[in-house]
Amino acid sequence: MAKLTPMMEQYLKIHDQVKDAILFFRLGDFYEMFFDDAILASKELEITLTGRDCGLEERAPMCGVPYHSAETYIAKLIEKGYKVAICEQVEDPSEAKGIVRREITRIISPGTVIDGEMLDDNKNNYLLCIYYEDEQFGLGVTDISTGEFMVSEIQHSRSVLIDEIGKLNPSEIITNNSLYKNKELKNLIEEKLNIKINPYPNKYFNYKECEKKIKKHFHVYSLTSVDLDAYPIIVKAAGALIQYLEQTQKNALSHINQINRYAIEEYMLLDLSTRRNLELTETIRGKEKKGSLLWVIDKTLTSMGARLLRQWVEQPLLNKEQIQKRLDGVEEIYHDIVLRKELENLLKKVYDIQRLITRISYGNANARDLLSLKQSIGILPELKKILSKCNSALLKQIYDQLDTLEDIFSLINQGIIEDPPQTIKEGNIIKDGFNKEVDKYRDASRFGKQWIKKMEQEEKKKTGIKSLKIRFNKVFGYYIEVTKSNLHLVPDYFIRKQTLANSERYFTHELKEIEDKILGAEDKVVQLEYKIFQNIRERILSQIIRIQSSAKCIAFLDAIWSLATIAYENHYVKPVITNKDEIDIKEGRHPVVENMMDYSEFVPNDCKINCGNNRIMLITGPNMAGKSTYMRQVALIVLMAQIGSFVPAKQAKIGIVDRIFTRVGASDDLASGQSTFMVEMSEVSNILKNASKNSLVILDEIGRGTSTFDGLSIAWAVIEYINDKKYIGCKTLFATHYHELTVLEDQLEGVKNYSIAVKEENDNIVFLREIISGKTDQSYGIQVAKIAGLPDEVIKRSKEILNKLEFSDSNKKRFPHEKYLKTAITKERKEINTKNYNDNNHLTLFNYKYEEIIQKIKSLQLDRMTPIEIMNYMYKLQKNLKNE
Ligand code: ADP
């Protein structure tokens, strides 16, 4: 009976350990895949599918990739959502008895990628573990490419969970079964965030086991030392995450050595739609960095700084002292042009130390990586000297914490040669003088070469063959080459090795002896250098915490430097941060829009709001006037201030806000099957439920997705609700095309009308981009349509129609239904004045049925109807009205 070959047996046994992954099985210089993996991978990677004898009747499907270019193929598979398990030969094939021992050395999934090609330098790559129990969520988050490990918890709020996941934007999520099997919750996360959740067996969330794992991994005796004793759900999430890392990364985890617990409330909560609408890190349309806030403020010189600044933008601060500290740091660099230049010159020499350290921890770093590390830490003494002159608390703190790592610098400097090769197994990496044995072998091979030269001279002399050469190749070793014309001069002691067309090759006993010495030394030195290199790597790794701490200092300094630099280049000012409820911006600008145009073209605007009389800015103005830009600009200025950045304004006083909410523009969430209106309403609902009096709310054109009357009613009611201190009473910017709402200024204390000025010039509209007090009551729709390039015929005809409509309505530039609306609103106003407005639950704003009925009566063709038909019709209408 056919039987599997031993190698195939080994393959299948190993694959059994990682059923959900594609197994890269190392065979010599290739990683091979077999059976279903091979069929799948050959298709996904577009590589040839072949077969291999496996002992059975049919050959096993097989495909493979060369080991040295495997990274690209792995990256492709990971990107397509697969997991890849790497199985290596773990003993020297030449020493193996029977089949070579093989083991899985790593499992790579989207959240456990560490290789350069698969990572974005300027972004963290998070793996998230969620533990769910009784509507509480424990979170464990790690970026194994940088060594960060953070934990937190969320109590009873799915929306906060969604926002937090949205902020982290993890590449992979694992959870316990309670969450995975909770369809509603699972779908909510997967659909909102467009990410798949993977189940992780419940046994790994066992408290005792998790506690043990945390203590062992972070080398602590009790959970108190890592401040987790009071957080059982965090312990479960963190402990499970460590086990997942152990299973997939095997032993290379020494770079993950600090656990950092954070409270969600420490930072400004920004929900998903607000992040998107404000285009903090990418644009809504193109999903590109260009055009986002981060694009403007990120001038960082290192990847570490870039990642940190992104984190800052994603989570603005709430604590006045912390904000102030960053601002003071930025200010110092902003004002000191020499300091700025000096820092720039140093920081730009720094490589990604965090990710280099990870490579070292994984044993993947080569000699060039160590040189990059050397160059990066080589700037530290100079950096420390520069920082010693600084005065702000933040820069002083960085100075205090900065370890200049001179010992590591000199270890690499003395050990590694300046221009080493890519590989670490072919020698030529250790400097002369670093290790005596290496020097000895090197001498042998160097002197050996001199011996060869000397011997060549002597043989030339002895034989009289002037063209005699001693050469070397990998197959034959050293040999003496004599051209055909000189063969008659060859002496007896030359032993023939090989005959070529024009020459003969020989060796002598003496040459053989020298060869053995040289080649023996070369082989030995290569092995020795590899060992010494590994030892240097280990010694660096033993100092990992110090190196990581300096890397953090550099990231911090770089982020602050970037904020100072853009503040200087873009003429920003330092905001005054207060705990009062006011926002007072003089000549504010939109940081991105002004960057897209010539600096002088942007028209600055003021904004003064508080929780008192100026609570709601009700902004009207034609389309394209600049309403959205203005409102976003206010939100961005507040957000920038709270990350510790200077702001685009002439002066700014910012009272810290707890949250910013935006509902801007209409967008269909087609992926989740929600209509524009539904999306709009759920966003508004989220705002009304979660905004506090300390929030800043930006609402742009709400109610647009439905009929005029519905929309107006909703917008009206929303303003009332937000303005009412009993419910929210927070600072709000509300742009609307419903001019009718401007009457609210008279009705509600706190609402103030504003508009964006335009001017009419020869039937054309000129946008002045200036925000002014008071309302507009013109839409200028046709003028805007003209600018947008509608055909002249359409513009002309629109005007005709508008004129007719105006005529039919006592020369008012309004549509008939708007006139009706005005009457309704006036009526409503009277009612409001007679009733106590605040304790009214739902005011009937107006009854749009009247309008419909009037239209119907108008359109009746009475001369074609019988009296009884008219009677019946009137009966129906009356019934309709009674039912109201
Ligand atoms: P609206 O929301 O009123 O329809 P937008 O805010 O979308 O108008 O602005 C339309 C365009 O006007 C923007 O894309 C921008 O190019 C320009 N704009 C807006 N505000 C300003 C300003 N303050 N200065 C210069 N240009 C502006």
Side-chain angles (χ1 to χ4, degrees):
M1 207 178 74
K3 195 169 168 298
L4 277 174
T5 58
M7 199 203 72
M8 273 300 155
E9 263 179 21
Q10 184 191 40
Y11 171 84
L12 291 174
K13 220 160 135 195
I14 293 176
H15 205 316
D16 249 12
Q17 302 164 23
V18 282
K19 292 198 180 85
D20 60 341
I22 295 176
L23 186 67
F24 271 44
F25 192 75
R26 182 72 179 263
L27 272 181
D29 282 347
F30 277 78
Y31 286 116
E32 303 287 6
M33 286 151 271
F34 298 105
F35 302 108
D36 287 351
D37 279 3
I39 295 168
L40 184 89
S42 65
K43 221 186 300 157
E44 297 285 18
L45 300 174
E46 294 173 25
I47 51 178
T48 320
L49 185 68
T50 58
R52 183 182 174 106
D53 189 10
C54 61
L56 302 179
E57 247 167 58
E58 278 184 33
R59 282 154 65 83
M62 174 176 99
C63 66
V65 299
Y67 87 97
H68 55 80
S69 58
E71 209 178 277
T72 324
Y73 294 103
I74 296 171
K76 265 194 198 160
L77 289 172
I78 299 295
E79 211 169 88
K80 288 175 187 250
Y82 299 103
K83 263 187 188 175
V84 174
I86 307 290
C87 172
E88 293 288 358
Q89 299 173 169
V90 290
E91 66 180 339
D92 191 337
S94 59
E95 287 167 17
K97 292 188 196 95
I99 196 135
V100 187
R101 222 160 30 86
R102 290 185 175 83
E103 273 172 20
I104 292 175
T105 52
R106 245 189 99 197
I107 300 168
I108 309 167
S109 54
T112 57
V113 163
I114 57 152
D115 301 298
E117 258 190 55
M118 293 180 240
L119 289 170
D120 182 338
D121 286 346
N122 300 330
K123 239 190 212 171
N124 278 103
N125 185 48
Y126 290 123
L127 162 64
L128 170 66
C129 175
I130 311 175
Y131 174 73
Y132 170 63
E133 178 187 306
D134 298 335
E135 283 308 300
Q136 302 177 73
F137 304 89
L139 308 182
V141 196
T142 185
D143 178 347
I144 68 165
S145 69
T146 61
E148 285 151 279
F149 193 102
M150 298 162 296
V151 292
S152 193
E153 66 173 359
I154 294 166
Q155 304 279 354
H156 308 285
S157 175
R158 293 184 177 190
S159 70
V160 173
L161 175 75
I162 296 287
D163 296 343
E164 190 59 19
I165 303 177
K167 177 181 97 186
L168 295 165
N169 193 12
S171 333
E172 187 177 347
I173 304 181
I174 55 170
T175 71
N176 63 334
N177 265 335
S178 326
L179 196 160
Y180 190 73
K181 297 217 165 121
N182 184 325
K183 274 215 170 103
E184 190 195 331
L185 184 55
K186 179 174 172 278
N187 289 348
L188 182 73
I189 297 174
E190 292 189 337
E191 280 166 13
K192 277 250 175 205
L193 302 161
N194 197 15
I195 182 167
K196 254 178 74 79
I197 290 180
N198 301 297
Y200 192 49
N202 271 356
K203 62 179 177 188
Y204 298 118
F205 292 87
N206 172 287
Y207 183 85
K208 278 271 152 241
E209 194 56 31
C210 288
E211 178 183 0
K212 230 193 293 166
K213 288 285 175 192
I214 294 173
K215 290 200 285 200
K216 186 164 168 247
H217 184 86
F218 294 102
H219 306 291
V220 290
Y221 289 111
S222 89
L223 289 179
T224 322
S225 327
V226 280
D227 193 20
L228 288 185
D229 44 341
Y231 302 94
I233 56 165
I234 295 188
V235 170
K236 292 181 184 180
L241 184 56
I242 293 172
Q243 292 173 77
Y244 183 76
L245 291 180
E246 282 174 355
Q247 286 153 12
T248 55
Q249 309 307 297
K250 309 297 167 186
N251 295 320
L253 294 173
S254 56
H255 64 300
I256 301 176
N257 45 45
Q258 272 172 34
I259 190 162
N260 172 14
R261 186 176 65 76
Y262 67 101
I264 305 276
E265 320 74 68
E266 272 172 53
Y267 301 106
M268 184 196 285
L269 271 184
L270 292 164
D271 57 48
L272 274 185
S273 51
T274 302
R275 279 175 203 288
R276 279 185 200 140
N277 288 334
L278 290 180
E279 307 192 300
L280 295 185
T281 56
E282 60 182 27
T283 56
I284 297 177
R285 281 207 185 157
K287 302 255 169 279
E288 285 165 4
K289 184 175 172 190
K290 185 168 182 211
S292 70
L293 175 68
L294 190 62
W295 168 69
V296 176
I297 67 172
D298 182 7
K299 286 269 184 311
T300 52
L301 301 159
T302 71
S303 307
M304 298 176 288
R307 289 194 294 269
L308 185 67
L309 189 61
R310 177 182 280 267
Q311 288 177 16
W312 287 1
V313 170
E314 306 261 22
Q315 46 185 32
L317 299 169
L318 297 178
N319 177 291
K320 187 177 162 213
E321 282 68 43
Q322 284 178 4
I323 299 172
Q324 199 61 50
K325 199 166 155 191
R326 279 194 202 162
L327 281 171
D328 293 345
V330 172
E331 186 179 31
E332 186 164 10
I333 302 179
Y334 170 94
H335 282 306
D336 190 338
I337 188 165
V338 178
L339 174 64
R340 215 171 336 119
K341 197 74 213 153
E342 283 175 339
L343 290 177
E344 179 181 353
N345 288 340
L346 292 179
L347 289 173
K348 68 183 179 198
K349 292 186 188 146
V350 175
Y351 288 94
D352 194 340
I353 302 178
Q354 288 170 329
R355 286 189 173 158
L356 280 172
I357 278 290
T358 304
R359 289 174 66 79
I360 295 177
S361 172
Y362 274 76
N364 291 346
N366 62 20
R368 291 184 187 176
D369 290 327
L370 297 200
L371 283 191
S372 301
L373 180 63
K374 180 181 100 172
Q375 178 177 326
S376 308
I377 61 178
I379 63 137
L380 295 177
E382 180 67 21
L383 192 62
K384 187 137 183 153
K385 206 165 100 199
I386 292 171
L387 289 173
S388 70
K389 292 179 245 151
C390 292
N391 298 312
S392 60
L394 182 73
L395 299 187
K396 274 187 167 163
Q397 189 184 335
I398 297 177
Y399 167 81
D400 287 340
Q401 286 172 0
L402 191 72
D403 185 330
T404 45
L405 304 171
E406 273 122 333
D407 49 335
I408 297 173
F409 178 86
S410 65
L411 172 66
I412 304 174
N413 195 36
Q414 286 164 15
I416 308 289
I417 68 166
E418 295 305 329
D419 187 18
Q422 189 78 30
T423 76
I424 48 174
K425 291 199 171 159
E426 287 172 15
N428 227 358
I429 43 181
I430 302 298
K431 258 190 190 163
D432 282 346
F434 186 71
N435 179 287
K436 283 202 175 105
E437 235 177 309
V438 170
D439 290 349
K440 204 175 81 192
Y441 288 130
R442 282 214 180 119
D443 279 352
S445 80
R446 244 175 248 151
F447 290 135
K449 278 175 193 148
Q450 282 178 20
W451 298 330
I452 297 275
K453 266 264 150 289
K454 200 166 136 225
M455 187 177 167
E456 190 180 81
Q457 296 303 331
E458 282 171 5
E459 292 300 341
K460 268 188 193 170
K461 237 193 234 162
K462 272 201 247 166
T463 58
I465 307 172
K466 284 209 179 82
S467 62
L468 179 145
K469 291 239 157 44
I470 300 186
R471 295 183 193 271
F472 173 82
N473 76 26
K474 276 198 176 157
V475 183
F476 292 105
Y478 286 96
Y479 55 83
I480 302 168
E481 192 163 83
V482 181
T483 49
K484 281 259 154 81
S485 55
N486 288 312
L487 288 184
H488 60 284
L489 296 171
V490 170
D492 297 346
Y493 59 90
F494 276 24
I495 306 162
R496 183 168 317 163
K497 219 173 185 179
Q498 197 191 8
T499 305
L500 300 181
N502 295 322
S503 60
E504 291 280 341
R505 288 173 175 179
Y506 302 91
F507 68 97
T508 65
H509 293 299
E510 195 191 347
L511 182 61
K512 190 88 191 89
E513 257 169 50
I514 296 174
E515 180 185 271
D516 286 349
K517 266 194 199 159
I518 298 172
L519 296 186
E522 273 174 6
D523 270 358
K524 282 193 185 116
V525 80
V526 165
Q527 281 171 23
L528 186 62
E529 281 193 66
Y530 180 59
K531 266 200 198 133
I532 296 170
F533 179 76
Q534 280 178 315
N535 178 270
I536 293 177
R537 256 190 339 208
E538 294 296 317
R539 282 165 69 187
I540 295 173
L541 206 53
S542 69
Q543 301 303 315
I544 189 167
I545 295 184
R546 290 174 54 215
I547 303 174
Q548 282 172 327
S549 153
S550 289
K552 235 188 223 168
C553 289
I554 291 178
F556 227 90
L557 193 60
D558 191 15
I560 293 285
W561 180 88
S562 175
L563 291 180
T565 303
I566 54 115
Y568 180 81
E569 287 175 359
N570 298 335
H571 315 281
Y572 293 174
V573 293
K574 185 183 185 189
V576 175
I577 305 292
T578 79
N579 281 324
K580 290 195 195 136
D581 73 4
E582 60 184 339
I583 292 174
D584 187 357
I585 300 167
K586 295 261 171 341
E587 299 190 20
R589 286 133 33 212
H590 190 296
V592 182
V593 177
E594 80 161 347
N595 231 282
M596 297 277 203
M597 49 177 65
D598 198 30
Y599 174 72
S600 57
E601 277 174 30
F602 193 90
V603 180
N605 273 308
D606 297 350
C607 172
K608 195 171 167 69
I609 38 174
N610 50 41
C611 290
N613 285 341
N614 274 312
R615 247 187 336 275
I616 297 192
M617 285 180 84
L618 190 68
I619 308 168
T620 42
N623 277 328
M624 282 299 287
K627 300 184 295 298
S628 307
T629 308
Y630 174 74
M631 294 197 299
R632 284 174 196 229
Q633 137 189 338
V634 173
L636 288 174
I637 288 176
V638 172
L639 187 133
M640 288 170 79
Q642 289 191 225
I643 68 171
S645 167
F646 280 24
V647 296
K650 197 163 181 203
Q651 226 177 313
K653 208 187 273 178
I654 307 291
I656 294 170
V657 303
D658 63 354
R659 299 183 66 157
I660 297 177
F661 291 94
T662 63
R663 157 67 218 168
V664 181
S667 58
D668 267 328
D669 194 349
L670 292 177
S672 67
Q674 291 194 319
S675 71
T676 311
F677 185 60
M678 191 62 192
V679 175
E680 178 182 344
M681 286 303 113
S682 38
E683 285 183 18
V684 172
S685 149
N686 173 47
I687 297 175
L688 299 188
K689 278 189 202 141
N690 293 306
S692 81
K693 74 174 193 340
N694 297 320
S695 306
L696 172 64
V697 171
I698 307 290
L699 291 169
D700 196 356
E701 304 279 16
I702 69 157
R704 206 168 206 179
T706 181
S707 77
T708 310
F709 298 121
D710 285 3
L712 174 54
S713 316
I714 292 170
W716 181 305
V718 166
I719 296 181
E720 285 181 356
Y721 189 88
I722 296 183
N723 186 59
D724 194 335
K725 289 192 172 166
K726 198 166 67 198
Y727 300 119
I728 305 178
C730 70
K731 297 179 277 292
T732 304
L733 276 67
F734 193 108
T736 184
H737 60 290
Y738 296 123
H739 307 290
E740 294 77 12
L741 290 176
T742 53
V743 299
L744 285 172
E745 184 181 58
D746 299 334
Q747 308 300 331
L748 303 175
E749 170 259 327
V751 175
K752 290 278 172 304
N753 284 334
Y754 289 88
S755 53
I756 307 230
V758 288
K759 164 167 98 167
E760 269 184 290
E761 249 173 27
N762 312 326
D763 200 26
N764 284 324
I765 180 173
V766 179
F767 296 116
L768 301 177
R769 314 285 185 214
E770 216 177 285
I771 187 128
I772 48 173
S773 269
K775 57 182 182 172
T776 47
D777 50 11
Q778 284 237 53
S779 302
Y780 297 102
I782 297 180
Q783 285 91 331
V784 176
K786 188 175 165 192
I787 297 173
L790 251 63
D792 288 346
E793 293 73 24
V794 175
I795 298 292
K796 202 168 136 228
R797 178 69 186 134
S798 309
K799 281 185 187 156
E800 275 170 25
I801 297 172
L802 181 65
N803 272 337
K804 273 191 200 156
L805 293 171
E806 282 170 8
F807 249 64
S808 67
D809 194 16
S810 337
N811 261 349
K812 276 198 181 130
K813 281 193 171 183
R814 319 292 282 142
F815 286 86
H817 77 267
E818 290 201 278
K819 183 192 168 212
Y820 175 76
L821 270 176
K822 282 209 158 163
T823 325
I825 288 166
T826 318
K827 199 170 140 233
E828 186 64 31
R829 219 191 287 173
K830 275 188 198 145
E831 261 181 53
I832 292 172
N833 287 339
T834 51
K835 281 185 200 168
N836 181 355
Y837 156 75
N838 267 338
D839 59 17
N840 232 351
N841 284 344
H842 291 287
L843 297 165
T844 28
L845 182 59
F846 42 74
N847 187 343
Y848 72 88
K849 288 256 159 153
Y850 284 106
E851 151 91 332
E852 258 178 38
I853 289 166
I854 288 165
Q855 285 304 331
K856 278 183 185 163
I857 295 174
K858 270 191 190 165
S859 60
L860 282 184
Q861 295 191 328
L862 294 175
D863 49 350
R864 297 200 180 176
M865 294 169 88
T866 63
I868 193 74
E869 279 172 340
I870 296 173
M871 273 282 284
N872 280 340
Y873 194 79
M874 288 313 286
Y875 173 72
K876 256 200 243 160
L877 279 185
Q878 194 183 45
K879 202 170 145 204
N880 219 335
L881 280 175
K882 278 186 181 163
N883 286 343
E884 275 302 303

